[in-house]
Amino acid sequence: MSGFFSIIQFSMGCLLWGILIALICMVLFYLAIKGWWKNAEFTVTTYITGAVLFILLSFQCILISGGIKILHITDDIQLETERIVNSAFLPGTDLTMANCDDVVKQLVTDYPVLGEYFDTGYFQGYTVETLPAAMADVVREYIHSFIIRRLLWCLAFVIVGAVIACLTIKKENALGRSRSVSPIGNRADRQRISRNTRRIRR
């Protein structure tokens, strides 16, 4: 949850884009249901399901937007890491785990949102020259996997929401799709037409 608010502080654009993407997804969601069930009529439960789904998708889309934003600044992160290590250590110095932790803490101070993605113990065995690039690579790798996980959560929410929405549609309207595509009519109608035809022939 703290990562969510950190990303909002990091960029309000992530918030706006996340809500916009979630809104587009919800429009497509309901259009898909109406396209499948021609005479579908949504109930109160259906709309409540849609509202909950919109909130969940907005949350995930904002996180995805934040992740994309971080990917765009990884070069800046690498440059900032270089500045930190060059000002604190001599060239060629082998950095201990404690040294790397200090660098990460300083970097997180400059970019608070990164505190949600770093495991400080991961960075060890690097030199002053190799740590910045390694740290930027770790950020890229983590954010890519982070975005994929958020997308999978979105897919799961949409599937569950679609099942609940379809179950809450009024049954007489949900069955309207099969009736609307039958140009011949039901069996009773065909029997009445057949009897009328025989009477006319007599």
Side-chain angles (χ1 to χ4, degrees):
M1 198 69 177
S2 58
F4 177 75
F5 292 110
S6 296
I7 289 176
I8 291 179
Q9 296 174 357
F10 179 66
S11 175
M12 287 299 295
C14 298
L15 177 64
L16 298 177
W17 276 109
I19 293 176
L20 178 61
I21 293 171
L23 183 61
I24 293 174
C25 290
M26 290 305 304
V27 171
L28 295 176
F29 178 80
Y30 278 106
L31 288 177
I33 294 178
K34 291 291 288 186
W36 181 256
W37 303 105
K38 300 299 183 183
N39 299 322
E41 181 178 339
F42 299 135
T43 63
V44 175
T45 305
T46 309
Y47 285 113
I48 293 176
T49 300
V52 173
L53 179 59
F54 174 71
I55 294 173
L56 294 174
L57 288 180
S58 296
F59 184 86
Q60 299 299 323
C61 289
I62 290 172
L63 293 176
I64 291 172
S65 298
I68 294 173
K69 181 69 174 180
I70 292 174
L71 286 177
H72 288 164
I73 65 169
T74 49
D75 290 340
D76 295 334
I77 293 172
Q78 182 172 343
L79 292 175
E80 180 64 16
T81 306
E82 290 177 356
R83 184 193 66 78
I84 294 172
V85 295
N86 288 330
S87 63
F89 307 100
L90 295 175
T93 303
D94 292 328
L95 302 177
T96 64
M97 182 185 298
N99 295 146
C100 293
D101 287 348
D102 292 338
V103 173
V104 170
K105 290 176 183 178
Q106 180 61 45
L107 190 62
V108 170
T109 300
D110 297 334
Y111 297 93
V113 72
L114 296 180
E116 299 298 321
Y117 308 121
F118 274 107
D119 178 2
T120 56
Y122 181 88
F123 298 101
Q124 55 183 322
Y126 294 100
T127 65
V128 170
E129 289 77 18
T130 59
L131 180 63
M135 193 172 291
D137 288 340
V138 169
V139 172
R140 294 186 186 97
E141 180 181 352
Y142 182 89
I143 295 300
H144 280 123
S145 62
F146 176 84
I147 291 174
I148 292 174
R149 291 198 303 272
R150 298 308 96 187
L151 290 173
L152 291 176
W153 274 112
C154 288
L155 179 61
F157 290 145
V158 169
I159 292 174
V160 173
V163 172
I164 296 175
C166 290
L167 290 176
T168 56
I169 292 173
K170 289 184 179 180
K171 292 183 178 180
E172 63 269 21
N173 291 313
L175 294 174
R177 179 178 182 272
S178 60
R179 290 198 297 268
S180 65
V181 299
S182 176
I184 299 177
N186 57 32
R187 184 176 180 180
D189 293 335
R190 291 196 298 271
Q191 290 176 347
R192 286 195 295 270
I193 293 173
S194 178
R195 287 197 296 270
N196 292 335
T197 302
R198 287 197 295 270
R199 290 174 183 172
I200 292 173
R201 290 177 178 174
R202 292 175 183 173

